[in-house]
Amino acid sequence: MADSTEPRATAVLLAAGAGTRLGRGPKALLPFRGRTLVEVLADVLLDGGCREVVVVLGADAAKVRDTTDLAKYTVIENPDWQSGMGGSFRRGIAAAAAEDHVLMALVDQPGLTPETVARVLAAHRPGRVTAAAYRGPGGTLRRGHPLLLDVALRAEAAESATGDAGARLFLQDRPELIDLVDCSDQSGGEDLDTPDQLRLLD
């Protein structure tokens, strides 16, 4: 879906969590569309126009590697994954090509579509942060993922990532840089955090 006018972007798929609240093992290995969640979403990111996908593993990384086919992607591990998303965020950015914008995505968002990815890429403006957004019950847009960090901002965003915070602290400090892209027609942008949300995999 990408064309020559869209930015060159490397996607970082954060897939290090243990999925403790779901009680089903790592979210990366949840069955989805006859495969695993991490395989399907990595393909979605590539199909949406990202030129490369970096998959960041953590919990049960060896098992994830052994039971999935991620050969066409760059797969790295965060040995400190238990300390929170921040470490995976930093490692993912460091692994992306230095000249690329970085599109951050979460493995627990089964509603992600290639159209959402393509829309965020196409809407990006130099020096900005572009985020998919979804309408809540009141009709207001709320920022979600994926999130595209301009190449000029990725180092600053990485420096601010700590504990369970990926881009959150950076975005709180620089709200004027954020452009929202309405992707409500594609999904609700929900995360898989609790057992009752496993219906999102159906």
Side-chain angles (χ1 to χ4, degrees), residues 94-142:
E99 68 274 16
D100 280 10
H101 305 313
V102 176
L103 185 93
M104 305 300 303
L106 308 177
V107 79
D108 64 354
Q109 290 195 309
L112 184 64
T113 66
E115 173 57 34
T116 294
V117 175
R119 195 175 296 178
V120 170
L121 292 177
H124 185 67
R125 295 187 290 160
R128 309 282 295 173
V129 176
T130 310
Y134 307 91
R135 295 201 178 276
T140 56
L141 280 176
R142 56 180 179 80

Side-chain angles (χ1 to χ4, degrees), residues 3 52 151 199:
D3 61 39
E52 182 184 11
V151 63
R199 58 178 169 71

Side-chain angles (χ1 to χ4, degrees), residues 21-162:
R21 282 179 289 180
L22 288 177
R24 299 271 297 270
K27 292 179 181 179
L29 291 180
L30 288 172
F32 187 48
R33 298 179 188 165
R35 301 164 69 203
T36 62
L37 202 49
V38 68
E39 290 170 301
V40 172
L41 291 190
D43 281 355
V44 165
L45 292 165
L46 202 62
D47 292 345
C50 295
R51 72 182 191 93
E52 182 184 11
V53 179
V54 174
V55 181
V56 186
L57 302 180
D60 288 334
K63 181 179 180 182
V64 176
R65 285 181 181 271
D66 290 345
T67 57
T68 60
D69 180 7
L70 298 171
K72 60 184 172 183
Y73 304 114
T74 299
V75 181
I76 63 173
E77 294 181 25
N78 175 17
D80 301 319
W81 63 269
Q82 289 175 299
S83 65
M85 185 191 296
S88 295
F89 184 93
R90 291 193 305 273
R91 288 173 185 272
I93 288 179
E99 68 274 16
D100 280 10
H101 305 313
V102 176
L103 185 93
M104 305 300 303
L106 308 177
V107 79
D108 64 354
Q109 290 195 309
L112 184 64
T113 66
E115 173 57 34
T116 294
V117 175
R119 195 175 296 178
V120 170
L121 292 177
H124 185 67
R125 295 187 290 160
R128 309 282 295 173
V129 176
T130 310
Y134 307 91
R135 295 201 178 276
T140 56
L141 280 176
R142 56 180 179 80
R143 178 176 55 78
H145 286 84
L147 177 84
L148 184 63
L149 295 166
D150 191 85
V151 63
L153 301 173
R154 50 185 272 186
E156 184 181 350
E159 287 172 8
S160 74
T162 182

Side-chain angles (χ1 to χ4, degrees), residues 127-199:
R128 309 282 295 173
V129 176
T130 310
Y134 307 91
R135 295 201 178 276
T140 56
L141 280 176
R142 56 180 179 80
R143 178 176 55 78
H145 286 84
L147 177 84
L148 184 63
L149 295 166
D150 191 85
V151 63
L153 301 173
R154 50 185 272 186
E156 184 181 350
E159 287 172 8
S160 74
T162 182
D164 281 327
R168 188 173 71 245
L169 300 178
F170 169 71
L171 297 176
Q172 286 174 352
D173 288 341
R174 306 292 296 276
E176 74 281 359
L177 294 178
I178 305 169
D179 295 321
L180 299 181
V181 181
D182 190 351
C183 296
S184 305
D185 61 315
Q186 295 296 305
S187 80
E190 301 96 339
D191 298 343
L192 278 172
D193 287 324
T194 59
D196 67 301
Q197 290 176 310
L198 289 170
R199 58 178 169 71

